[in-house]
């Protein structure tokens, strides 16, 4: 990223144009929709081919604003002008043509609605003519005009030869059928014809329907005396009004809009397709960097990992390789990163592949947004494509199931994309903003889409302690159900005599889910479907039966009765060995089963009390200590009518479970006025 130039206040407060991309948003022809009077128009072409002079001839505005540009006679950074064509008001973005400033060209060109490709008649097609055209193609542009400039410097034969070379250049591109308008900024030849041709192209630009959240990538900032920081860009989505709050990304700070301008005129609102200058409250100018964005709060999510659909240019000198370091151009941002190819080791020239990009700085993107990648040395454009996952986790290469899911993000419809976003959300689920950002679903259509998918059982809703309305992909729910059943199956194998297991014990094997209440809610769902049995405390698989023989059931009943009658002087487990006979080896398992089923409480190793006796003990101690006095071990022994052999482990147990607390030789009630733990 680069800091923004501040040498003087520009005559136009600019903004970042919207993305024209097939499938990027639902579109309808302009003739069937209200006319989108505001559009973004961009220039492209080799250095010194007359782009800036042409814009001045069209608008009367000189876009070269920097002293360096005036001194060197070339455009260095993006410039801005306005062209009124009656039904259309065009914000013109003039870009530099020199190879050293391609990154600035990308910052200006990304998101334009239509372009004028400029070729000088005295120079013909040159390297940056080709590179700029490829960049426009990679950015998904579909509408444009070709301007043959400096026609006053050459004869008719030269003009015709250059036009043939241009036709050869644009063959197979979006400009293949575009008109070539002969112009001269010096003599005004063809200027009116160029305006008419641009107006015709405007009628072909498609307007997006449905509600959109606001988004604008910052391309410049400056300070206005008495007002503070102003940032500029082209509004790519939604609208913004004075007084609104926006999120400043990737900082994730919320800032208020103090005032707005569009082409030097104050306005109350800016919307998609407009150049906008936004006066922000409380923002320090030195903190603003080209590539940052303003958006509706909660819409965009900064991420260092993106999943991409990547194309290698057909005339690239070499293929794109796995782990290649690149310069990533997205919106007005330029960020260094490393590519990880997911389905191949190289993407050959002219081919497509799936990739992930690991960035040095976070980027903010949306599904389908076009991008360009260049060599890390910034000497060559390698390719580009579309963002498939604006917020991604690292994907294992050649993982077929994952790659199939990724493919659906591009080949599927809105519902398929939404389900794919939900699937990648895993056990954490997804939000409405995830669908808008990651599946290209309009905000006003997202909830209805969710309801349709819920009705078909493809999405499942849970109420958890973490999220009130947690939505999961049905596959994730089935997977979690299988994991719960599998965890219980292992416990049943380990403890074949136990008829059920504590929910917490099952949860401990599923900690990686990250939401305990989701596990419990899924267990309840399985109980409702009769795949589990149990209650709020204990659960078991419905197809499991404790493997107790008739003799073991009788022995279990004898154990429970013996501990109930013994009260505070419980028998030792080995005392049942003679009664157990051939089942003596199962005594420990039986005692654990009695504890698990809530009949007995384990006080210490080899020391158990009946559950009723435990409850009675807690009640006696709570009543006796309620006044705040303490008791010694001997006093507790006498209160319970037991011996010192059991009194000491009983006291330690009461300390451990929080009924009492020890201070020296005395025990006190642990929590005065609190409910006694059970």
């Amino acid at each position: 990223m680069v800091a923004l130039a501040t040498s003087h206040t520009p005559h136009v407060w600019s903004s970042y144009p919207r993305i024209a991309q097939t499938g990027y948003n639902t579109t309808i022809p302009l003739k069937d929709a209200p006319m989108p009077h505001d559009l973004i128009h961009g220039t492209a072409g080799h250095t010194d081919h007359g782009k800036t002079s042409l814009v001045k001839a069209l608008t009367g505005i000189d876009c070269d604003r920097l002293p360096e540009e005036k001194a060197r006679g070339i455009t260095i950074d993006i410039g801005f002008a306005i062209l009124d064509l009656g039904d259309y008001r065009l914000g013109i973005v003039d870009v530099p043509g020199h190879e050293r400033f391609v990154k600035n060209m990308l910052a200006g060109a990304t998101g334009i609605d239509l372009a004028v490709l400029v070729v000088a008649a005295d120079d013909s097609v040159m390297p940056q003519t080709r590179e700029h055209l490829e960049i426009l193609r990679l950015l998904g542009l579909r509408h444009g005009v070709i301007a043959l400039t400096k026609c006053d410097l050459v004869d008719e034969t030269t003009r015709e030869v250059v036009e043939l070379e241009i036709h050869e250049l644009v063959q197979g591109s979006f400009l293949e059928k575009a008109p070539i308008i002969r112009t001269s900024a010096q003599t005004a030849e063809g200027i009116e014809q160029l305006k008419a041709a641009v107006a015709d192209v405007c009628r072909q630009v498609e307007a997006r329907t449905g509600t959109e959240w606001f988004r604008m990538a910052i391309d410049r900032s400056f300070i206005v005396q008495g007002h503070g920081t102003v940032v500029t860009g082209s509004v790519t989505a939604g609208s913004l009004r004075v007084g609104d709050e926006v999120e400043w990304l990737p900082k994730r700070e919320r800032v208020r809009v103090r005032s707005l301008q569009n082409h030097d005129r104050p306005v109350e609102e800016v919307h998609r397709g407009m150049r906008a200058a936004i006066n922000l409250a409380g923002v320090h100018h030195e903190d603003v960097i080209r590539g940052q964005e303003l958006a509706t709060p909660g819409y965009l999510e900064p991420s260092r990992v993106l999943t991409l659909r990547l194309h290698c240019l057909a005339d690239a000198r070499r293929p794109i390789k796995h782990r290649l370091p690149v310069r990533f151009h997205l919106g007005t941002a330029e960020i260094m990163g490393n590519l990880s190819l997911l389905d191949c080791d190289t993407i050959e020239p002219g081919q497509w592949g799936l990739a992930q990009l690991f960035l040095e700085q976070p980027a903010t993107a949306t599904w389908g947004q076009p991008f360009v990648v260049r060599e890390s040395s910034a000497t060559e454009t390698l390719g580009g494509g579309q963002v498939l996952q604006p917020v991604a986790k690292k994907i294992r290469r050649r993982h077929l199931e994952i790659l199939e899911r990724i493919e659906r993000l591009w080949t599927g419809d809105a519902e398929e994309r939404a389900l794919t976003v939900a699937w990648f959300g895993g056990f954490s689920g997804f939000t409405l903003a995830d669908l808008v950002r990651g599946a290209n679903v309009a905000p006003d259509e997202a909830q209805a889409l969710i309801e349709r998918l819920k009705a078909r059982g493809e999405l499942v809703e849970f109420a958890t302690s973490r999220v009130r309305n947690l939505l999961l992909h049905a596959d994730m729910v089935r997977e979690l159900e299988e994991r719960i059943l599998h965890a219980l199956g292992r416990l049943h194998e380990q403890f074949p005599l136990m008829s059920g297991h504590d929910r917490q014990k099952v949860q401990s094997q599923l900690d990686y889910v990250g939401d305990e209440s989701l596990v419990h809610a899924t267990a309840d769902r399985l109980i409702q479907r009769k795949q589990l049995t149990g209650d709020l405390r204990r659960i078991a698989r419905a197809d499991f039966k404790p493997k107790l023989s008739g003799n073991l059931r009788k022995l279990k009943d004898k154990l429970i009765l013996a501990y109930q009658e013994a009260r505070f002087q419980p028998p030792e487990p080995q005392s049942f060995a003679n009664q157990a006979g051939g089942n003596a080896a199962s005594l420990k398992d039986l005692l654990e089963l009695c504890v698990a089923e809530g009949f007995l409480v384990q006080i210490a190793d080899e020391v158990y009390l009946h559950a009723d006796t435990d409850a009675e003990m807690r009640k006696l101690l709570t009543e006796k200590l309620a006044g705040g006095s303490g008791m010694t071990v001997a006093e507790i022994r006498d209160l319970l009518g037991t011996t010192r052999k059991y009194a000491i482990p009983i006291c330690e147990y009461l300390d451990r479970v929080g009924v009492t607390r020890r201070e020296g030789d005395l025990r006190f009630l642990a929590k005065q006025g609190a409910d006694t733990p059970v």
Side-chain angles (χ1 to χ4, degrees):
M1 294 185 181
V2 295
L4 306 190
T6 61
S7 56
H8 86 286
T9 302
H11 52 76
V12 178
W13 294 7
S14 67
S15 48
Y16 149 104
R18 74 178 178 88
I19 295 159
Q21 159 79 36
T22 303
Y24 184 61
N25 269 91
T26 305
T27 59
I28 58 175
L30 284 179
K31 63 182 181 181
D32 297 328
M35 300 290 267
H37 295 291
D38 294 289
L39 294 172
I40 304 298
H41 168 292
T43 64
H46 196 78
T47 186
D48 201 32
H49 275 207
K51 295 185 295 299
T52 303
S53 297
L54 184 64
V55 171
K56 186 174 182 180
L58 288 168
T59 67
I61 297 171
D62 184 358
C63 292
D64 282 347
R65 54 191 172 80
L66 302 176
E68 301 95 312
E69 293 175 319
K70 299 293 186 183
R72 297 171 63 179
I74 64 171
T75 299
I76 296 173
D77 203 359
I78 48 180
F80 308 95
I82 181 173
L83 178 61
D84 196 335
L85 295 177
D87 289 335
Y88 304 98
R89 183 181 176 89
L90 303 181
I92 296 181
V93 183
D94 183 37
V95 303
H98 197 282
E99 62 178 351
R100 290 177 55 192
F101 307 117
V102 171
K103 67 176 183 180
N104 294 340
M105 179 271 172
L106 278 158
T110 301
I112 57 179
D113 295 299
L114 64 152
V116 172
L117 180 66
V118 176
V119 181
D122 64 340
D123 211 11
S124 192
V125 174
M126 296 295 284
Q128 264 57 62
T129 313
R130 298 181 184 279
E131 186 171 22
H132 283 204
L133 177 60
E134 288 295 344
I135 287 171
L136 295 178
R137 294 173 68 175
L138 290 170
L139 295 178
L141 204 65
R142 292 183 289 157
H143 306 286
V145 177
I146 302 168
L148 184 63
T149 58
K150 303 186 180 183
C151 285
D152 58 312
L153 301 181
V154 299
D155 56 27
E156 178 64 23
T157 301
T158 303
R159 294 184 187 190
E160 292 176 355
V161 170
V162 173
E163 286 178 353
L164 288 173
E165 293 176 348
I166 292 173
H167 280 299
E168 182 180 355
L169 170 71
V170 300
Q171 187 174 0
S173 76
F174 70 97
L175 291 176
E176 184 174 20
K177 297 181 180 180
I180 299 176
I181 309 299
R182 297 178 175 184
T183 68
S184 169
Q186 299 302 316
T187 67
E189 176 187 352
I191 298 302
E192 292 305 316
Q193 291 92 325
L194 181 58
K195 288 182 181 180
V198 170
D200 286 340
V201 171
C202 288
R203 297 184 183 94
Q204 301 170 28
V205 178
E206 296 172 329
R208 288 178 286 185
T209 61
T211 303
E212 295 178 317
W213 285 336
F214 177 78
R215 183 182 184 189
M216 187 191 87
I218 297 170
D219 52 36
R220 284 187 301 169
S221 87
F222 48 88
I223 297 175
V224 176
Q225 193 66 32
H227 295 272
T229 299
V230 173
V231 300
T232 70
S234 300
V235 181
T236 61
S239 61
L240 185 70
R241 296 185 61 83
V242 173
D244 284 352
E245 191 176 60
V246 291
E247 192 169 12
W248 179 19
L249 297 153
K251 286 180 170 287
R252 287 181 165 172
E253 295 179 13
R254 293 195 176 194
V255 293
R256 184 174 57 83
V257 176
R258 297 175 63 180
S259 61
L260 295 167
Q261 280 197 16
N262 169 243
H263 298 298
D264 279 343
R265 60 189 179 97
V267 292
E268 285 297 310
E269 178 182 304
V270 293
H271 55 258
R272 178 182 53 78
M274 293 177 68
R275 292 291 301 168
I278 305 175
N279 183 200
L280 298 173
V283 172
H284 296 291
H285 167 66
E286 58 270 19
D287 294 332
V288 180
I289 298 173
R290 174 176 286 174
Q292 294 175 341
E293 299 207 33
L294 299 178
T296 297
Y299 175 23
L300 301 180
E301 182 77 14
S303 176
R304 291 177 184 266
V305 184
L306 285 73
T307 306
L308 312 171
R309 180 175 180 262
L310 178 60
H311 176 68
C312 182
L313 291 181
D315 59 354
R317 290 183 293 176
R318 60 186 65 89
I320 295 176
K321 296 182 179 181
H322 177 56
R323 294 183 177 175
L324 180 70
V326 296
R327 291 180 182 268
F328 180 66
H329 294 267
L330 181 83
T332 58
E334 178 193 46
I335 311 173
M336 297 298 295
N338 282 277
L339 284 169
S340 173
L341 303 185
L342 299 177
D343 55 353
C344 57
D345 293 322
T346 61
I347 302 177
E348 298 296 329
Q351 299 300 309
W352 289 86
L354 295 177
Q356 284 199 305
L357 184 64
F358 297 87
L359 298 168
E360 293 182 1
Q361 301 293 330
T364 47
T366 55
W367 176 91
Q369 183 171 350
F371 64 87
V372 171
V373 291
R374 307 189 77 228
E375 281 191 333
S376 58
S377 60
T379 57
E380 182 183 354
T381 299
L382 302 174
Q386 296 84 26
V387 174
L388 296 182
Q389 288 183 307
V391 181
K393 295 179 181 178
K394 184 177 180 180
I395 294 173
R396 181 159 54 88
R397 299 182 71 218
R398 304 184 189 279
H399 191 298
L400 292 181
E401 181 186 7
I402 301 293
L403 294 181
E404 287 176 1
R405 299 272 183 178
I406 292 292
E407 287 283 1
R408 295 178 197 175
L409 284 171
W410 187 251
T411 59
D413 59 12
E415 289 188 356
E416 188 66 39
R417 293 196 303 271
L419 285 171
T420 304
V421 169
W423 189 85
F424 277 101
F427 299 128
S428 298
F430 66 94
T431 65
L432 186 142
D434 292 331
L435 293 191
V436 177
R437 177 181 60 251
N440 193 41
V441 178
D444 58 339
E445 299 171 0
Q447 193 57 50
L449 184 149
I450 288 171
E451 294 302 323
R452 290 197 302 273
L453 296 175
K454 282 169 56 180
R456 297 207 300 260
E458 295 179 273
L459 292 180
V460 181
E461 186 173 358
F462 290 90
T464 71
S465 59
R466 184 175 60 87
V467 181
R468 183 177 178 183
N469 302 108
L470 178 66
L471 287 164
L472 299 185
H473 192 289
D475 287 354
M476 291 294 107
V477 178
R478 284 189 287 271
E479 182 177 339
L480 183 53
E481 290 173 345
E482 290 171 2
R483 293 186 183 190
I484 291 173
L485 291 169
H486 183 65
L488 274 168
R490 289 200 306 268
L491 288 171
H492 288 323
E493 288 180 4
Q494 188 177 358
F495 305 103
L497 302 183
M498 296 177 65
S499 59
H501 294 277
D502 191 271
R503 282 184 180 238
Q504 291 302 125
K505 195 168 186 177
V506 177
Q507 164 62 32
S508 67
Q509 299 189 40
L510 299 168
D511 284 341
Y512 53 83
V513 173
D515 188 342
E516 182 176 337
S517 60
L518 173 60
V519 176
H520 291 311
T522 307
D524 291 338
R525 176 181 167 91
L526 288 169
I527 290 173
Q528 293 173 3
R529 288 163 48 192
K530 302 188 183 305
Q531 289 181 268
L532 294 185
T533 60
D535 51 29
L536 293 176
R537 182 180 175 188
R538 303 183 61 76
I539 53 177
R541 289 181 58 135
D543 58 2
F544 173 76
K545 299 297 180 185
K547 299 174 183 178
L548 285 176
S549 64
N551 288 336
L552 283 175
R553 280 196 296 271
K554 290 178 182 179
L555 180 58
K556 174 188 167 186
D557 292 341
K558 288 180 181 179
L559 288 173
I560 295 171
L561 180 61
Y563 279 99
Q564 186 175 29
E565 292 176 345
R567 298 183 72 243
F568 297 109
Q569 297 190 48
E572 295 182 1
Q574 289 304 314
S575 65
F576 297 98
N578 290 333
Q579 298 180 52
N583 292 317
S586 300
L587 273 174
K588 183 173 178 60
D589 288 342
L590 277 177
L591 287 167
E592 289 184 0
L593 177 60
C594 291
V595 171
E597 292 182 344
F599 293 108
L600 300 183
V601 176
Q602 187 169 14
I603 301 301
D605 189 32
E606 300 291 310
V607 180
Y608 299 85
L609 292 180
H610 192 277
D612 293 343
T613 305
D614 177 62
E616 180 186 356
M617 175 177 66
R618 292 170 183 251
K619 184 174 182 294
L620 286 171
L621 265 294
T622 300
E623 291 175 350
K624 190 69 174 178
L625 298 174
S629 58
M631 296 179 69
T632 64
V633 172
E635 289 171 331
I636 293 174
R637 176 199 64 196
D638 295 341
L639 175 68
L640 299 179
T642 186
T643 65
R644 185 173 179 80
K645 174 182 177 181
Y646 297 111
I648 292 176
I650 283 175
C651 287
E652 291 174 347
Y653 162 75
L654 291 170
D655 294 340
R656 191 167 62 250
V657 298
V659 175
T660 59
R661 74 175 190 278
R662 181 179 179 178
E663 293 184 13
D665 293 332
L666 297 178
R667 257 74 177 188
F668 295 87
L669 195 62
K671 296 180 181 178
Q672 292 287 345
D675 293 336
T676 304
V678 295

